[in-house]
Amino acid sequence: MTTTAARRERQRTQLIDAAEKAIAERGLAGLKARELAQEIGCALGAIYNLVADMDELVLRVGSRTLARLDAALSAAEGEDAPACADTAADRLVAVALAYCAFARENLQLWRILFEHRMAEGAVVPDWAVSEQMTLFRHILEPLSVLLPDRAEAERMLMSRTLFSAVHGVVAIGLEQKLIAVPHRDLDRQIEGLVRLICRGLTAPA
Amino acid sequence: MTTTAARRERQRTQLIDAAEKAIAERGLAGLKARELAQEIGCALGAIYNLVADMDELVLRVGSRTLARLDAALSAAEGEDAPACADTAADRLVAVALAYCAFARENLQLWRILFEHRMAEGAVVPDWAVSEQMTLFRHILEPLSVLLPDRAEAERMLMSRTLFSAVHGVVAIGLEQKLIAVPHRDLDRQIEGLVRLICRGLTAPA
DNA sequence: GACTATCTTGAACGACGTTCACAAAATTCG
DNA sequence: CGAATTTTGTGAACGTCGTTCAAGATAGTC
């Protein structure tokens, strides 16, 4: 027989599943407490036994998305041979393209990672912050191969910059408010940017 | 005596003023129809004689923000002497730093330029789209000086990429969800990125 | 000044997240 | 096992939101 705690944990998972599906299909605005309750077969108020509020639910969905993104980037950088100076730029390009592909295929879920704001003065939990940090590691490793002479702090900062720059191209490129960019063009744009930055990094001062 | 149309136009301006103030101070979530009605001294329903819905209001505020941003970038690039190959990179840096400064000083208003989503399948009006395009011109001009040999289309694409990259660094840097970046560091990060890209652009293939 | 068209009003509507008194169920203990 | 007690589930109700609309106030026209 299932204990109460186990059933609750199962229901919590169902709830996050349903929330993830709702956001993926209809965006953050499509996330409705009443729909979720009906979907997982519980009363409206019971949701608040599983999560504190909708913000926490969005945060948990974001956590999943971040984990899948991390896996996708790992897969992209793991394809080639291990550390090699010649292919460092290629690996950075592969990671950037994987980031773009993930964003495109998980558009709504990817967006809330950056656009979701907590209600009022609520603080983002520590685990959510530290999760985001791990993303930079996919860039830091190839970058360390590319720039073995730079200080660790400098490479860390450069990772952040590189990630942000690629993120910006992806974010603006996938924004339908501006004129839509075709897939191929966006990919080329990203590869061009990464190679450009790599060339700048290794060019003589 | 003031005609009806003139009074309406005046009220519409008051409404946008009030909406702009509300968003600047308390974010998009702080924009409430009832508060606006009280602020400009009209009935709740009267708002819908001035704008179709809240989406249009947000769009109009965004239009103002875009105009102010355009002016800020113009001021930044106009300080130096006119077209000169030596200072092209400096001008691009100046524009990027001005963009960052504007975003920082108008954080909430700047955000809705990118984060606001229209309700359902509503289409963004043409004027809102074309407004955004004019932003790239601040980058296209110095870039044309820097890369006189490239085709126009290529430079246009490069402008878009450069803008997006800087935008990404600013967006991630000002995101308080991640660890806050100090002003000075962010400025340095941006200058570094722009110079890096310029170096990559002018470096031998 | 009377007639018509237009605008203004605020109560009402439906939808939302959240709460809460109460009922049901599970757990504890004699 | 059954009674007492704690925990959990329930859905109606609350407050707030954007939006609508019948009715009253106002402006425009001859």
Side-chain angles (χ1 to χ4, degrees):
Chain A
M1 170 186 136
T2 74
T3 131
T4 310
R7 184 173 44 84
R8 246 167 81 133
E9 205 52 52
R10 191 151 27 90
Q11 265 202 316
R12 202 199 313 273
T13 303
Q14 285 180 39
L15 178 63
I16 304 174
D17 286 344
E20 192 173 20
K21 203 178 82 172
I23 293 177
E25 289 175 359
R26 301 188 306 276
L28 199 64
L31 190 70
K32 283 138 207 251
R34 283 168 178 81
E35 276 185 23
L36 294 177
Q38 190 174 355
E39 181 99 4
I40 70 176
C42 76
L44 177 57
I47 286 181
Y48 296 88
N49 296 337
L50 304 173
V51 291
D53 52 23
M54 289 304 230
D55 263 0
E56 184 192 328
L57 191 51
V58 174
L59 235 49
R60 286 187 187 272
V61 171
S63 176
R64 279 195 185 181
T65 306
L66 218 46
R68 289 195 299 118
L69 173 57
D70 194 73
L73 297 189
S74 292
E77 71 180 341
E79 286 168 4
D80 305 22
C84 166
D86 296 340
T87 63
D90 294 338
R91 290 174 69 196
L92 284 173
V93 169
V95 170
L97 289 178
Y99 183 75
C100 180
F102 183 90
R104 198 170 14 229
E105 288 157 18
N106 301 272
L107 189 54
Q108 307 263 40
L109 290 168
W110 169 74
R111 272 185 181 148
I112 66 168
L113 290 180
F114 302 96
E115 295 184 4
H116 176 61
R117 302 261 172 280
M118 307 288 293
E120 200 59 17
V123 179
V124 180
D126 284 350
W127 58 263
V129 174
S130 68
E131 275 180 342
Q132 310 224 11
M133 287 301 140
T134 71
L135 269 191
F136 296 129
R137 121 180 154 260
H138 299 283
I139 302 168
L140 190 56
E141 290 181 15
L143 211 59
S144 299
V145 176
L146 201 69
L147 304 172
D149 298 338
R150 309 286 179 99
E152 173 75 15
E154 196 181 350
R155 286 188 303 225
M156 189 66 214
L157 206 69
M158 196 62 227
S159 303
R160 197 187 164 98
T161 301
L162 190 47
F163 168 80
S164 301
V166 171
H167 170 81
V169 174
V170 173
I172 300 282
L174 296 183
E175 184 77 43
Q176 66 262 44
K177 211 186 288 190
L178 296 165
I179 288 167
V181 180
H183 294 197
R184 295 269 183 275
D185 293 357
L186 186 53
D187 281 354
R188 269 198 284 264
Q189 206 181 348
I190 289 165
E191 171 155 12
L193 175 68
V194 175
R195 295 213 181 276
L196 194 61
I197 290 179
C198 288
R199 200 185 316 158
L201 277 173
T202 57
Chain B
M1 173 182 137
T2 74
T3 134
T4 309
R7 183 173 46 84
R8 248 166 80 131
E9 205 51 52
R10 189 150 29 89
Q11 266 202 316
R12 201 199 314 273
T13 303
Q14 284 179 39
L15 178 64
I16 304 174
D17 286 343
E20 191 173 21
K21 202 178 82 170
I23 294 176
E25 289 174 0
R26 300 187 306 275
L28 199 62
L31 190 69
K32 284 140 206 246
R34 284 168 177 80
E35 277 185 21
L36 293 178
Q38 191 175 353
E39 180 100 4
I40 69 175
C42 75
L44 177 57
I47 287 181
Y48 296 89
N49 295 336
L50 304 173
V51 291
D53 52 23
M54 289 304 230
D55 262 0
E56 185 193 326
L57 191 49
V58 173
L59 234 49
R60 285 186 188 273
V61 171
S63 176
R64 278 194 187 182
T65 307
L66 218 47
R68 289 194 301 119
L69 172 58
D70 194 74
L73 297 189
S74 292
E77 72 180 340
E79 287 168 3
D80 307 20
C84 165
D86 296 341
T87 64
D90 294 338
R91 291 173 69 196
L92 284 173
V93 169
V95 170
L97 289 178
Y99 182 75
C100 180
F102 183 90
R104 204 182 354 241
E105 289 156 18
N106 301 272
L107 190 54
Q108 306 263 40
L109 290 168
W110 169 74
R111 273 186 181 146
I112 66 169
L113 290 179
F114 303 96
E115 295 183 5
H116 177 60
R117 302 261 171 280
M118 308 287 294
E120 199 61 16
V123 180
V124 180
D126 284 348
W127 58 263
V129 174
S130 68
E131 274 180 341
Q132 312 222 11
M133 286 301 141
T134 70
L135 271 192
F136 296 129
R137 122 180 153 262
H138 298 284
I139 302 170
L140 189 56
E141 291 182 13
L143 210 60
S144 298
V145 175
L146 201 69
L147 304 172
D149 298 339
R150 310 285 179 100
E152 172 76 15
E154 195 181 350
R155 286 187 303 222
M156 189 68 214
L157 206 68
M158 196 61 227
S159 303
R160 196 187 164 99
T161 301
L162 190 48
F163 168 80
S164 301
V166 171
H167 169 80
V169 174
V170 174
I172 301 282
L174 295 184
E175 183 77 41
Q176 67 262 42
K177 211 187 287 188
L178 296 164
I179 289 168
V181 180
H183 294 195
R184 294 270 182 277
D185 291 357
L186 186 53
D187 280 354
R188 269 197 284 264
Q189 206 182 348
I190 289 164
E191 171 155 11
L193 175 67
V194 175
R195 294 213 182 275
L196 193 62
I197 291 178
C198 287
R199 201 185 316 157
L201 277 173
T202 57

